[in-house]
Amino acid sequence: MTALLEVEGLRVRLPTPRGFATVVDGIDYHVEPAQVFGVAGESGSGKTMSMLALLGLLPPGAVVEGRAAFGGKDLLRLRGRELRAVSGRDIGMVFQDPMTSLHPMLTIGQQLTEHMRRHLGLGRRAAGDRAVELLDQVRIPGPRSALHAYPHQFSGGMRQRIAIAIALACGPRLLIADEPTTALDVTVQAGILRLLDRLRREHDLSVVLITHDLAVMSSIADRISIFYAGRVVESGRRDELLRRPRHPYTRALLDALPHPEAARDTPLVAIKGAPPSPQQIPPGCRYHPRCPYAIEVCTMDDPPLVPTDGRRLACHVDPFADGE
Amino acid sequence: MVDAPRARRRPRPSSSFLRFLLRRLAALVLLAVGITLVVFVLTQLVPSNAVATNLGEQAAADPAAVAAFKAHYGLDKPLPVRYWLYLRHLLQGDLGQSSLTHDAVTHDLGQFIPATAELALYSIVIAAFFGITFGVIAAMRRNRPTDHVLRVVSLGGISMPTFWIALVALYVGFFKLGWFPGADRLDPGVLPPPHKSGLYTIDALLGGQWGLFAQALHHLVLPALVLAAFNVSLLTRYTRSAVLEVVGNDYVRAGRAKGLPERVVVRRYILRAALPAVVTVLGLVFANVLTGAVLVEKIFSWPGIGQYAYQAAVNLDVPAIAGVSLFVAVVYITVNFIVDILYGLIDPRIRVR
Ligand SMILES: Nc1ncnc2c1ncn2[C@@H]1O[C@H](COP(=O)(O)OP(=O)(O)O)[C@@H](O)[C@H]1O
Ligand SMILES: [Mg+2]
């Protein structure tokens, strides 16, 4: 199967008061049609910036390198009209915080129809009808009257579903969802994940699902990449990765999860330390200061991401190679 | 269903807006009453002989005339009764008589207000248009040369006192270059257009008098620009920072992610969100223009309410001062009311409160 989106060597540098910070440092991944591709990692690992780079949404002054092939074009080279033709049309985006990603002064109807009218050439009525359909699809009660309401009249979970409806309005081939469930409680979260799963099955939608919560991934992603400090440390099929994590960081993320089968009083194992800031990336493996398995080579050589056992792994030590 | 519908009851926007409007209107009326009280007390505090200044020497010597005058204005009654009388006269449009012009104050106000209204109107339109445009441009070109130029210029506009700008404008535009007239609303000896609104440009247009329209406009240029200068700068700076507050917001990014043209993003997403802050400053601009008018009218010999107020103050013409104060106060609270209503129109979240 040919990939829908193929990202190679993506590098993002953001201007800071103390010069440029490389927040995404050479990332490769691909997304296949009708698949959910998961991106996980602690907060600050460059997940959001790597996605914003695709549609030219980075803060002003950002510098982007690499390639992002999508439908025969390189997204990173698109400008102006060409970029706008893809944005919102072929690629829909859902932002992290539903409380801030809807315009507080525009009605739901306006926000749901403006890009449909522009991209699909729909008239006011047709766009309105489709908007009602979409709201219905994301299970907003009373979709017709919801069109005239403003965001503040809805709860966070409903706003996030409205944001998803907006992202899906023009029938995109790819949905990029940045932590769409992080701000929500567990039941709402489950509902949104089910919705994404249904859209993938029924509409051949591909999804890039960003999260710092591996539990979310385990229920829906087909393939997963683990981000750490602007790099991919491990990537592969979900089952491989979650059942037999090979990178110590992946392992640590999984250990930090509350385990449904574990005894109730088992303490959560938080990962010690904090990820490095983009200004203070350590030499060698970026994870080595926090890694209990680090050996001397880890402090000097940056491990490349290489195919290992049906996945890609960036680790010198590979302490779990024998599937312990 | 996954997520219990936690949406608050959705009232029809129009009905909630109507309630919002009525609340504000009630506040407006209360405020207006308060103002009449303040103005009344002030007139009572000013030490002046109302009888002498109002009636003139001859009449003041005639006990019958004095008695009639005192009875009419209730000067022989206790304070609360006098306030009550003052209110009744006010409702009948009687603000007393100017001791200077010996005309009814309402008549005087009617004479002078249109000149100020016209000057203020043009100043505010100029300030709003250029201030908001410059502010948006500066913000969208943040830290680039255009932004730097606009910031320096607007800083200058704010720091320079208006009287100085006025004198420089008069000196350069009138004395040196001779491009603009330096005084009055029309050339000497020219008759104003037939009175409809009292705004010469509008009345001239209504009467199809193009030459007169051009002349009135020509006279307006310098004073209106001078009066606008500070406010253009003020608006540029406030709009710039209001826009900068907004540009980094997620919803602006979301607007761009939808593939909307930049101009739509700027207008519908950015400017819309920055508008409440801009409207606040517009209210301030209105106040500035009224205050600044006193000075600018003096320098450009503009026969407006500012000149009238100046003369009244210098001559301790209490009824005139009270009349002008009342007028200005009413304008202020009306502008405030309009600003409040605009907030409600712009931001649906405000109507809920
Ligand atoms: N506007 C910015 N300027 C400079 N650095 C930024 C900016 N926004 C985010 N960063 C930095 O970029 C890094 C990656 O951020 P982000 O992509 O948001 O991480 P994630 O989404 O994985 O939590 C973080 O270290 C963050 O501090
Ligand atoms: Mg993020």
Coordinates of all heavy atoms in Angstrom, one line a residue, chain A residues 52 57 59 84 87-88 93 95 97 100-106 111 114-115 118-119 139 141-142 145-146 148-150 152-155 157-158 161 166 185 187-188 191 194, chain B residues 1-11 13 249-264 268-270 272-274 276 346-349 351-352:
Chain A
L52 N 2.1 21.0 13.3 CA 1.8 22.3 12.8 C 2.7 22.6 11.6 O 2.2 23.4 10.7 CB 2.1 23.4 14.0 CG 1.2 23.3 15.2 CD1 1.6 24.4 16.2 CD2 -0.3 23.5 14.8
L57 N 1.7 26.2 10.1 CA 1.0 26.9 11.2 C 1.9 27.2 12.3 O 1.5 27.6 13.4 CB -0.2 26.0 11.7 CG -1.3 25.7 10.7 CD1 -2.2 24.7 11.2 CD2 -2.0 27.0 10.3
P59 N 4.7 29.1 14.7 CA 4.9 30.5 15.1 C 5.7 31.2 14.1 O 6.6 30.6 13.4 CB 5.5 30.5 16.5 CG 5.4 29.1 17.0 CD 5.2 28.2 15.8
R84 N -3.5 26.6 1.1 CA -4.8 26.8 1.5 C -5.8 25.8 0.9 O -6.8 25.4 1.4 CB -5.3 28.2 1.3 CG -4.7 29.2 2.2 CD -5.5 30.5 2.2 NE -5.5 31.2 1.0 CZ -4.6 32.1 0.6 NH1 -3.6 32.4 1.4 NH2 -4.7 32.6 -0.6
S87 N -5.2 22.7 3.1 CA -5.6 22.9 4.5 C -7.1 22.9 4.6 O -7.8 23.7 3.9 CB -5.1 24.3 5.0 OG -3.7 24.3 4.8
G88 N -7.6 22.1 5.5 CA -9.1 22.1 5.7 C -9.8 21.3 4.7 O -11.0 21.0 4.9
M93 N -7.6 19.4 10.8 CA -6.8 19.4 12.1 C -7.6 19.7 13.3 O -8.5 20.6 13.2 CB -5.7 20.5 11.9 CG -4.4 20.1 12.6 SD -3.1 21.2 12.3 CE -1.9 20.2 11.4
F95 N -7.3 20.7 17.3 CA -6.2 21.2 18.2 C -6.4 20.7 19.6 O -7.5 20.2 20.0 CB -6.2 22.7 18.2 CG -5.8 23.2 16.8 CD1 -6.7 23.4 15.8 CD2 -4.4 23.5 16.6 CE1 -6.3 23.8 14.5 CE2 -4.0 23.9 15.3 CZ -5.0 24.0 14.3
D97 N -6.6 22.0 22.7 CA -7.5 22.5 23.8 C -8.8 22.9 23.2 O -8.9 24.0 22.6 CB -6.8 23.6 24.5 CG -7.6 24.1 25.7 OD1 -8.7 23.6 25.9 OD2 -7.1 25.0 26.4
T100 N -10.0 26.6 23.7 CA -9.5 27.7 23.0 C -9.4 27.6 21.5 O -9.1 28.5 20.8 CB -8.0 28.0 23.4 OG1 -7.3 26.8 23.1 CG2 -7.9 28.2 24.9
S101 N -9.8 26.4 20.9 CA -9.6 26.3 19.5 C -10.9 26.6 18.7 O -10.8 26.6 17.5 CB -9.2 24.8 19.2 OG -10.2 23.9 19.6
L102 N -12.0 27.0 19.4 CA -13.1 27.5 18.6 C -13.2 29.0 18.9 O -12.9 29.5 20.0 CB -14.4 26.9 19.1 CG -14.5 25.4 18.9 CD1 -15.8 24.9 19.5 CD2 -14.5 25.1 17.4
H103 N -13.5 29.8 17.9 CA -13.6 31.2 18.0 C -14.8 31.6 18.9 O -16.0 31.2 18.6 CB -13.8 31.9 16.7 CG -13.4 33.4 16.7 ND1 -14.1 34.3 17.5 CD2 -12.4 34.0 16.1 CE1 -13.6 35.5 17.3 NE2 -12.5 35.4 16.5
P104 N -14.6 32.3 20.0 CA -15.7 32.5 21.0 C -16.8 33.4 20.4 O -17.9 33.4 21.0 CB -14.9 33.2 22.2 CG -13.7 33.8 21.6 CD -13.3 32.9 20.5
M105 N -16.5 34.2 19.4 CA -17.5 35.1 18.9 C -18.2 34.8 17.6 O -19.0 35.5 17.1 CB -16.9 36.5 18.8 CG -16.2 37.0 20.0 SD -15.3 38.5 19.7 CE -14.2 38.5 21.2
L106 N -17.9 33.6 17.1 CA -18.5 33.1 15.9 C -19.4 31.9 16.2 O -19.1 31.1 17.1 CB -17.5 32.7 14.8 CG -16.5 33.8 14.4 CD1 -15.5 33.2 13.4 CD2 -17.2 35.0 13.8
Q111 N -18.6 28.6 12.0 CA -17.3 27.9 12.0 C -17.3 26.6 11.3 O -16.3 26.1 10.9 CB -16.8 27.8 13.5 CG -16.7 29.1 14.2 CD -16.0 29.0 15.5 OE1 -14.9 28.6 15.6 NE2 -16.7 29.5 16.5
E114 N -18.0 27.8 7.0 CA -17.2 28.8 6.1 C -16.3 28.1 5.2 O -16.1 28.5 4.0 CB -16.5 29.8 7.0 CG -15.6 29.2 8.1 CD -15.0 30.3 9.0 OE1 -15.2 31.4 8.7 OE2 -14.4 29.9 10.0
H115 N -15.6 27.0 5.7 CA -14.6 26.4 4.8 C -15.3 25.4 3.8 O -14.8 25.2 2.7 CB -13.5 25.7 5.6 CG -14.0 24.7 6.6 ND1 -15.0 25.0 7.5 CD2 -13.6 23.5 7.0 CE1 -15.2 24.0 8.3 NE2 -14.4 23.0 8.0
R118 N -16.3 27.5 1.0 CA -15.1 27.9 0.2 C -14.5 26.7 -0.6 O -14.3 26.8 -1.8 CB -14.1 28.5 1.1 CG -13.0 29.3 0.4 CD -12.2 30.1 1.4 NE -13.0 31.2 1.9 CZ -13.1 32.4 1.2 NH1 -12.5 32.5 0.1 NH2 -13.9 33.4 1.7
H119 N -14.3 25.6 0.1 CA -13.6 24.5 -0.5 C -14.5 23.7 -1.4 O -14.2 23.2 -2.5 CB -13.0 23.5 0.5 CG -11.8 24.1 1.2 ND1 -10.7 24.6 0.5 CD2 -11.5 24.2 2.5 CE1 -9.8 25.0 1.4 NE2 -10.3 24.7 2.6
R139 N -22.6 13.4 17.4 CA -23.5 13.2 18.5 C -23.7 14.5 19.3 O -23.7 14.4 20.5 CB -23.0 12.1 19.4 CG -22.7 10.8 18.7 CD -24.0 9.9 18.7 NE -23.6 8.5 18.4 CZ -23.6 8.0 17.1 NH1 -23.8 8.8 16.1 NH2 -23.3 6.8 16.9
P141 N -26.4 16.9 20.5 CA -27.9 16.9 20.5 C -28.5 18.2 20.0 O -27.9 19.3 20.2 CB -28.2 16.8 22.0 CG -27.0 17.2 22.7 CD -25.8 16.9 21.8
G142 N -29.6 18.1 19.3 CA -30.2 19.3 18.7 C -29.3 20.0 17.8 O -29.1 21.2 17.9
S145 N -30.4 23.6 16.2 CA -30.3 24.8 17.0 C -28.8 25.0 17.4 O -28.5 26.2 17.7 CB -31.2 24.7 18.2 OG -30.8 23.6 19.0
A146 N -28.0 24.0 17.5 CA -26.6 24.2 17.8 C -25.9 25.1 16.8 O -25.0 25.8 17.2 CB -25.9 22.8 17.9
H148 N -26.8 27.8 15.7 CA -27.0 29.2 16.1 C -26.3 29.5 17.4 O -26.4 30.7 17.9 CB -28.4 29.6 16.1 CG -29.1 29.4 14.8 ND1 -28.9 30.1 13.7 CD2 -30.0 28.4 14.4 CE1 -29.6 29.7 12.7 NE2 -30.3 28.6 13.1
A149 N -25.8 28.5 18.1 CA -25.2 28.7 19.4 C -23.7 29.1 19.3 O -23.1 29.0 18.2 CB -25.4 27.5 20.2
Y150 N -23.2 29.6 20.4 CA -21.8 30.0 20.5 C -21.0 28.9 21.3 O -21.6 28.2 22.1 CB -21.7 31.3 21.1 CG -22.2 32.4 20.2 CD1 -23.5 32.9 20.3 CD2 -21.3 33.0 19.2 CE1 -24.0 33.9 19.4 CE2 -21.8 34.0 18.4 CZ -23.1 34.4 18.5 OH -23.6 35.4 17.7
H152 N -19.3 29.0 23.9 CA -19.4 29.0 25.4 C -20.6 28.3 25.9 O -20.7 28.0 27.1 CB -19.3 30.4 25.9 CG -20.6 31.2 25.7 ND1 -20.8 32.0 24.6 CD2 -21.7 31.4 26.4 CE1 -21.9 32.6 24.6 NE2 -22.5 32.2 25.7
Q153 N -21.5 28.0 25.0 CA -22.7 27.3 25.5 C -22.6 25.8 25.5 O -23.5 25.1 25.8 CB -23.9 27.7 24.6 CG -24.3 29.2 24.7 CD -25.2 29.7 23.6 OE1 -24.8 29.8 22.4 NE2 -26.4 30.0 24.0
F154 N -21.4 25.3 25.2 CA -21.1 23.9 25.2 C -20.1 23.5 26.2 O -19.2 24.2 26.5 CB -20.7 23.4 23.8 CG -21.8 23.6 22.8 CD1 -21.9 24.8 22.1 CD2 -22.8 22.6 22.6 CE1 -22.9 25.0 21.1 CE2 -23.8 22.8 21.7 CZ -23.8 24.0 20.9
S155 N -20.1 22.2 26.7 CA -19.1 21.7 27.5 C -17.8 21.4 26.7 O -17.9 21.4 25.5 CB -19.6 20.4 28.2 OG -19.7 19.4 27.2
G157 N -16.2 18.6 26.3 CA -16.3 17.4 25.4 C -17.1 17.7 24.2 O -16.7 17.2 23.1
M158 N -18.2 18.5 24.3 CA -19.0 18.8 23.1 C -18.2 19.7 22.2 O -18.2 19.6 21.0 CB -20.3 19.4 23.5 CG -21.2 18.5 24.3 SD -22.6 19.3 24.8 CE -23.8 18.6 23.7
R161 N -15.9 17.7 20.2 CA -16.5 17.0 19.1 C -17.0 18.0 18.0 O -17.0 17.6 16.8 CB -17.7 16.2 19.6 CG -17.2 14.9 20.3 CD -18.3 14.1 20.8 NE -18.9 14.7 22.0 CZ -20.1 14.4 22.5 NH1 -20.9 13.6 21.8 NH2 -20.5 15.0 23.6
I166 N -15.8 20.1 12.6 CA -15.2 21.2 11.7 C -14.1 20.6 10.8 O -14.0 20.8 9.6 CB -14.7 22.4 12.5 CG1 -15.9 23.1 13.1 CG2 -13.9 23.3 11.7 CD1 -15.5 24.2 14.1
D185 N -12.7 14.2 30.3 CA -12.7 13.1 31.3 C -12.9 11.7 30.5 O -13.1 11.7 29.3 CB -13.8 13.3 32.3 CG -15.2 13.4 31.7 OD1 -15.6 12.4 31.0 OD2 -15.9 14.3 32.0
T187 N -14.9 9.1 30.2 CA -16.0 8.6 29.3 C -16.1 9.4 28.1 O -16.3 8.9 27.0 CB -17.4 8.8 30.1 OG1 -17.4 10.0 30.7 CG2 -17.5 7.7 31.1
V188 N -15.9 10.7 28.1 CA -15.9 11.6 27.0 C -14.8 11.1 26.0 O -15.0 11.0 24.8 CB -15.7 13.0 27.3 CG1 -15.8 13.9 26.1 CG2 -16.8 13.5 28.3
G191 N -15.7 8.1 24.1 CA -16.6 8.4 23.0 C -15.9 9.0 21.8 O -16.2 8.6 20.6
R194 N -14.0 6.3 20.0 CA -14.9 5.4 19.2 C -15.3 6.1 17.9 O -15.4 5.5 16.8 CB -16.1 5.1 20.0 CG -15.9 3.8 20.8 CD -17.3 3.1 21.1 NE -18.1 4.0 21.9 CZ -18.1 4.1 23.2 NH1 -17.2 3.4 23.9 NH2 -18.9 4.9 23.9
Chain B
M1 N -25.2 7.6 23.8 CA -24.4 8.8 23.9 C -23.4 8.7 25.0 O -23.5 8.2 26.0 CB -25.4 9.9 24.2 CG -24.6 11.2 24.1 SD -25.6 12.5 23.6 CE -27.1 12.0 24.1
V2 N -22.3 9.3 24.7 CA -21.1 9.2 25.5 C -21.1 10.2 26.6 O -20.9 9.9 27.8 CB -19.8 9.4 24.7 CG1 -18.7 8.9 25.4 CG2 -20.0 8.8 23.3
D3 N -21.3 11.4 26.2 CA -21.0 12.5 27.1 C -22.3 13.2 27.4 O -23.0 13.7 26.4 CB -20.0 13.3 26.3 CG -19.9 14.8 26.7 OD1 -20.2 15.1 27.8 OD2 -19.5 15.6 25.8
A4 N -22.8 13.2 28.6 CA -24.1 13.7 28.9 C -24.1 15.2 28.4 O -23.1 15.9 28.6 CB -24.3 13.7 30.4
P5 N -25.1 15.6 27.7 CA -25.1 16.9 27.1 C -25.1 18.0 28.3 O -26.1 18.2 29.0 CB -26.5 17.0 26.4 CG -27.3 15.9 26.9 CD -26.4 14.8 27.4
R6 N -23.9 18.5 28.5 CA -23.8 19.4 29.6 C -24.0 20.9 29.1 O -23.7 21.8 29.9 CB -22.4 19.3 30.2 CG -22.4 18.6 31.5 CD -21.0 18.5 32.1 NE -20.1 17.8 31.3 CZ -18.8 17.9 31.3 NH1 -18.3 18.8 32.1 NH2 -18.0 17.2 30.6
A7 N -24.3 21.0 27.8 CA -24.5 22.4 27.3 C -25.6 23.1 28.2 O -26.6 22.5 28.6 CB -25.0 22.3 25.9
R8 N -25.3 24.3 28.5 CA -26.3 25.1 29.2 C -27.5 25.3 28.2 O -27.4 25.2 27.0 CB -25.7 26.5 29.5 CG -25.0 26.5 30.8 CD -24.4 27.8 31.1 NE -23.0 27.7 31.0 CZ -22.1 28.6 30.7 NH1 -22.6 29.8 30.3 NH2 -20.8 28.5 30.7
R9 N -28.6 25.6 28.9 CA -29.8 25.9 28.1 C -29.4 26.9 27.0 O -28.7 27.9 27.3 CB -30.9 26.4 29.0 CG -32.3 26.3 28.4 CD -33.3 26.7 29.5 NE -33.0 28.0 30.0 CZ -33.5 29.1 29.5 NH1 -34.2 29.1 28.4 NH2 -33.2 30.3 30.0
R10 N -29.9 26.7 25.8 CA -29.5 27.7 24.8 C -30.6 28.7 24.5 O -31.6 28.3 23.8 CB -29.2 26.9 23.5 CG -27.8 26.6 23.3 CD -27.6 25.9 22.0 NE -27.1 24.5 22.3 CZ -27.6 23.4 21.9 NH1 -28.6 23.4 21.1 NH2 -27.1 22.3 22.2
P11 N -30.6 29.9 25.1 CA -31.7 30.8 24.9 C -31.5 31.4 23.5 O -30.4 31.4 22.9 CB -31.4 31.9 25.9 CG -30.0 31.8 26.3 CD -29.5 30.4 25.9
P13 N -30.6 33.8 20.9 CA -29.7 35.0 21.0 C -30.5 36.3 21.2 O -30.1 37.1 22.0 CB -28.9 34.9 19.8 CG -29.0 33.5 19.3 CD -30.3 33.0 19.7
N249 N -3.6 33.0 19.3 CA -4.6 32.1 19.8 C -4.8 30.9 19.0 O -4.7 30.9 17.8 CB -5.9 32.9 20.0 CG -6.0 33.6 21.3 OD1 -5.4 33.1 22.3 ND2 -6.7 34.6 21.4
D250 N -5.2 29.8 19.7 CA -5.5 28.6 19.0 C -6.6 28.8 17.9 O -6.5 28.2 16.8 CB -6.0 27.5 20.0 CG -4.9 26.6 20.4 OD1 -3.8 26.8 20.0 OD2 -5.2 25.7 21.2
Y251 N -7.6 29.6 18.2 CA -8.7 29.6 17.2 C -8.2 30.4 15.9 O -8.8 30.1 14.9 CB -9.9 30.2 17.8 CG -9.8 31.6 18.5 CD1 -9.7 32.7 17.7 CD2 -9.8 31.7 19.9 CE1 -9.6 34.0 18.4 CE2 -9.7 32.9 20.5 CZ -9.6 34.0 19.8 OH -9.5 35.2 20.4
V252 N -7.2 31.2 16.0 CA -6.7 31.8 14.8 C -6.0 30.8 14.0 O -6.1 30.7 12.8 CB -5.8 33.0 15.1 CG1 -5.1 33.6 13.9 CG2 -6.6 34.1 15.9
R253 N -5.2 30.0 14.7 CA -4.5 28.9 14.0 C -5.5 27.9 13.4 O -5.3 27.5 12.2 CB -3.7 28.1 15.1 CG -2.6 27.4 14.5 CD -1.7 26.9 15.7 NE -0.4 27.6 15.8 CZ 0.3 27.6 16.8 NH1 0.0 27.0 17.9 NH2 1.5 28.3 16.8
A254 N -6.6 27.7 14.1 CA -7.7 26.8 13.6 C -8.3 27.4 12.3 O -8.6 26.7 11.4 CB -8.7 26.6 14.6
G255 N -8.4 28.7 12.3 CA -9.0 29.4 11.1 C -8.0 29.2 9.9 O -8.5 28.9 8.8
R256 N -6.7 29.4 10.2 CA -5.8 29.2 9.1 C -5.8 27.7 8.6 O -5.7 27.4 7.5 CB -4.4 29.5 9.6 CG -4.2 31.0 9.8 CD -2.8 31.4 9.4 NE -2.7 32.9 9.4 CZ -2.5 33.6 10.5 NH1 -2.2 33.0 11.6 NH2 -2.5 34.9 10.4
A257 N -5.9 26.8 9.6 CA -5.9 25.4 9.3 C -7.1 25.0 8.4 O -7.0 23.9 7.8 CB -5.9 24.5 10.6
K258 N -8.1 25.8 8.4 CA -9.2 25.5 7.5 C -9.0 26.0 6.1 O -9.8 25.8 5.2 CB -10.5 26.3 8.0 CG -11.1 25.8 9.2 CD -12.0 26.8 9.8 CE -13.2 26.3 10.5 NZ -14.1 27.4 10.9
G259 N -7.8 26.6 5.8 CA -7.5 27.1 4.5 C -8.3 28.4 4.1 O -8.5 28.6 2.9
L260 N -8.6 29.2 5.1 CA -9.3 30.4 4.8 C -8.2 31.4 4.3 O -7.1 31.4 4.8 CB -10.0 31.0 6.0 CG -11.1 30.1 6.6 CD1 -11.6 30.7 7.9 CD2 -12.2 29.9 5.6
P261 N -8.6 32.3 3.3 CA -7.6 33.3 2.9 C -7.2 34.2 4.0 O -8.0 34.4 5.0 CB -8.4 34.1 1.8 CG -9.6 33.3 1.5 CD -9.9 32.4 2.6
E262 N -6.0 34.7 3.9 CA -5.4 35.5 5.0 C -6.3 36.6 5.4 O -6.5 37.0 6.5 CB -4.0 35.9 4.6 CG -3.2 36.6 5.7 CD -2.9 35.7 6.9 OE1 -3.1 34.5 6.8 OE2 -2.6 36.2 8.0
R263 N -6.9 37.3 4.3 CA -7.7 38.5 4.7 C -8.9 38.1 5.5 O -9.4 38.8 6.3 CB -8.0 39.2 3.3 CG -9.4 39.2 2.9 CD -9.5 39.8 1.4 NE -9.5 38.6 0.5 CZ -10.6 37.9 0.2 NH1 -11.7 38.2 0.9 NH2 -10.6 36.9 -0.6
V264 N -9.5 36.9 5.2 CA -10.6 36.4 6.0 C -10.2 36.1 7.5 O -10.8 36.5 8.4 CB -11.3 35.2 5.4 CG1 -12.4 34.7 6.3 CG2 -11.8 35.6 4.0
R268 N -12.1 38.2 10.1 CA -13.1 37.4 10.9 C -12.6 36.8 12.1 O -13.2 36.8 13.1 CB -13.7 36.3 10.0 CG -15.0 35.8 10.4 CD -15.6 34.8 9.5 NE -15.8 35.3 8.2 CZ -15.9 34.5 7.1 NH1 -15.8 33.2 7.2 NH2 -16.2 35.0 5.9
Y269 N -11.3 36.4 12.1 CA -10.8 35.7 13.3 C -10.0 36.7 14.2 O -10.2 36.6 15.4 CB -9.9 34.5 12.9 CG -10.7 33.3 12.5 CD1 -11.5 33.3 11.3 CD2 -10.8 32.3 13.4 CE1 -12.3 32.2 11.0 CE2 -11.6 31.2 13.1 CZ -12.3 31.2 11.9 OH -13.2 30.1 11.7
I270 N -9.1 37.5 13.6 CA -8.3 38.3 14.5 C -8.9 39.6 14.9 O -9.1 39.9 16.1 CB -6.9 38.6 13.8 CG1 -6.2 37.2 13.5 CG2 -6.1 39.5 14.6 CD1 -4.9 37.4 12.7
R272 N -12.0 40.6 14.7 CA -13.2 40.3 15.4 C -12.9 40.1 16.9 O -13.6 40.7 17.8 CB -13.9 39.1 14.9 CG -15.2 38.7 15.5 CD -16.3 39.6 15.0 NE -17.4 39.6 15.8 CZ -18.6 39.0 15.5 NH1 -18.7 38.4 14.3 NH2 -19.6 39.0 16.3
A273 N -11.9 39.3 17.2 CA -11.6 39.0 18.6 C -10.9 40.2 19.3 O -11.1 40.4 20.5 CB -10.7 37.8 18.7
A274 N -10.3 41.1 18.5 CA -9.6 42.2 19.1 C -10.6 43.4 19.3 O -10.3 44.4 19.9 CB -8.4 42.7 18.2
P276 N -13.5 44.1 20.9 CA -13.9 44.7 22.2 C -12.9 45.6 22.8 O -13.3 46.7 23.2 CB -14.0 43.4 23.1 CG -14.3 42.3 22.2 CD -13.5 42.6 20.9
I346 N -20.8 42.3 19.9 CA -19.6 41.7 19.4 C -19.3 40.3 20.1 O -19.0 39.3 19.5 CB -18.3 42.6 19.6 CG1 -18.5 43.9 18.8 CG2 -17.1 41.9 19.3 CD1 -17.5 44.9 19.3
D347 N -19.5 40.3 21.4 CA -19.1 39.1 22.2 C -20.3 38.5 22.8 O -20.8 39.0 23.8 CB -18.0 39.5 23.2 CG -17.4 38.2 23.8 OD1 -18.0 37.2 23.7 OD2 -16.3 38.3 24.4
P348 N -20.7 37.4 22.3 CA -21.9 36.7 22.9 C -21.8 36.4 24.3 O -22.8 36.2 25.0 CB -22.1 35.5 22.0 CG -20.8 35.2 21.4 CD -20.1 36.6 21.2
R349 N -20.6 36.2 24.8 CA -20.4 35.7 26.2 C -20.8 36.8 27.2 O -21.2 36.6 28.3 CB -18.9 35.4 26.4 CG -18.5 34.1 25.8 CD -17.0 33.9 25.8 NE -16.4 35.0 25.1 CZ -15.1 35.1 24.9 NH1 -14.3 34.1 25.4 NH2 -14.5 36.1 24.3
R351 N -23.3 38.9 27.0 CA -24.8 39.0 27.1 C -25.3 38.2 28.3 O -26.3 38.4 28.9 CB -25.5 38.6 25.9 CG -25.3 39.4 24.7 CD -25.9 38.8 23.5 NE -25.1 39.1 22.3 CZ -25.2 38.5 21.2 NH1 -26.1 37.5 21.1 NH2 -24.5 38.8 20.2
V352 N -24.5 37.1 28.6 CA -25.0 36.2 29.6 C -24.9 36.8 31.0 O -25.8 36.6 31.8 CB -24.1 34.9 29.6 CG1 -24.6 33.9 30.6 CG2 -24.2 34.3 28.2

